[in-house]
Amino acid sequence: MSNPEFHSEPDSGALFELEPEPADRLSFADLARLPLGELVAPDWAKALAPVEAQLREALTFLAGEVAGGHAVLPSPANLLRAFRQPLATVRVLVVGQDPYPTPGHAVGLSFAVDRATRPIPRSLANIYKELQDDLGFPPRVHGDLSRWAEQGVLLLNRVLSVRAGAAGSHRNKGWEAVTAAAIRAVADRAPAADARVGADAAAGRAALVVILWGKDAESVRPLLGSAAVIASAHPSPLSASRGFFGSRPFSRANALLQEQGNGTVDWELPPLP
């Protein structure tokens, strides 16, 4: 999508040891050479094995972009950040599009930005406004959403990279196959939206709610099987007033999680990260 406002983007050693280290310690070429099990959490490595070739093609493409003098976002250390959160812990999936193309913004989690970014993008400001209207939590000045990720909220962009200043520039470079496999892997663990909790528990199914904002996100519906879905307009200033505001995605997600027997997400973010 060409408008940066339409672009979006957990973390402790207990989740995965590839903490964001200084960007100059890693390169996209380095990532392309590492074993899959060193790039993502172990259960994600298993889930993504069928699309490993496409993942490596995308990483090789990024190395070529850099070799050609282009800046690529997010940094190599943050590129696969969403997959450091183990697949087994995912209980809410939020699908974004591609990373913010503004240098310093993209952090590898959809809709999030670097904790020092001021002001935050307008789409994220609208998300905070809806969060306040829905649950009463005050908007924050920062865009660090890692607290959500740490609770099993998978903030996954459909395309995981972008050339700086050129929104949508890395579409059709292999990422769609990778993230489609990831979304299917999450959805395959979900109970039927109308199934009884006890029956699903007996079948070993994991609670899941999927939040889709905007038409691009809606395009992944065929990948979701019977997972519970909350869909609305995108939080962009261009569309937020046409169905995003008032959609109450946070309280609705918690209600659906409770119905599935998996508690709730504490959506309140710390005043400062």
Side-chain angles (χ1 to χ4, degrees):
M1 194 172 289
S2 59
N3 187 323
E5 276 302 310
F6 279 61
H7 302 284
S8 326
E9 305 257 312
D11 253 348
S12 70
L15 294 184
F16 193 61
E17 289 299 326
L18 186 60
E19 281 298 311
E21 39 186 272
D24 59 3
R25 297 276 300 277
L26 288 171
S27 70
F28 295 114
D30 292 332
L31 297 185
R33 291 190 291 265
L34 287 173
L36 187 58
E38 294 184 25
L39 294 173
V40 298
D43 54 358
W44 274 120
K46 182 177 180 181
L48 297 178
V51 291
E52 182 175 358
Q54 292 93 324
L55 172 59
R56 296 201 180 279
E57 287 172 9
L59 293 173
T60 300
F61 165 74
L62 297 188
E65 284 274 88
V66 173
H70 301 292
V72 172
L73 308 174
S75 69
N78 276 330
L79 180 71
L80 299 173
R81 183 179 176 187
F83 299 129
R84 290 206 303 272
Q85 170 187 343
L87 172 58
T89 70
V90 176
R91 51 188 182 141
V92 177
L93 169 63
V94 179
V95 180
Q97 295 169 48
D98 61 344
Y100 297 112
T102 303
H105 283 200
V107 295
L109 302 178
S110 63
F111 296 101
V113 292
D114 182 83
R115 64 188 63 186
T117 297
R118 304 287 190 279
I120 61 173
R122 289 178 292 169
S123 290
L124 183 55
N126 284 340
I127 290 171
Y128 286 173
K129 181 180 185 301
E130 180 61 20
L131 178 62
Q132 182 175 33
D133 292 345
D134 186 6
L135 294 176
F137 298 143
R140 300 309 188 192
V141 297
H142 66 84
D144 183 357
L145 304 182
S146 58
R147 180 177 173 84
W148 293 355
E150 290 162 0
Q151 298 179 75
V153 179
L154 178 59
L155 299 162
L156 182 67
N157 279 321
R158 193 71 167 90
V159 173
L160 299 185
S161 65
V162 68
R163 184 185 291 184
S169 52
H170 287 177
R171 290 187 171 196
N172 301 315
K173 303 301 182 183
W175 288 128
E176 290 87 352
V178 174
T179 55
I183 291 167
R184 285 194 193 96
V186 173
D188 285 348
R189 299 169 51 252
D194 59 352
R196 292 180 178 274
V197 171
D200 283 314
R205 308 293 274 176
L208 177 68
V209 177
V210 181
I211 297 176
L212 303 177
W213 289 327
K215 291 182 179 179
D216 273 19
E218 284 259 18
S219 70
V220 309
R221 268 191 186 265
L223 307 176
L224 297 175
S226 59
V229 175
I230 297 170
S232 73
H234 194 277
S236 162
L238 298 178
S239 57
S241 62
R242 298 199 297 269
F244 174 74
F245 291 138
S247 62
R248 301 176 56 243
F250 308 101
S251 62
R252 290 167 64 196
N254 277 349
L256 287 166
L257 286 174
Q258 285 185 307
E259 287 177 12
Q260 296 175 40
N262 198 18
T264 61
V265 173
D266 179 2
W267 295 101
E268 185 172 18
L269 296 167
L272 292 174

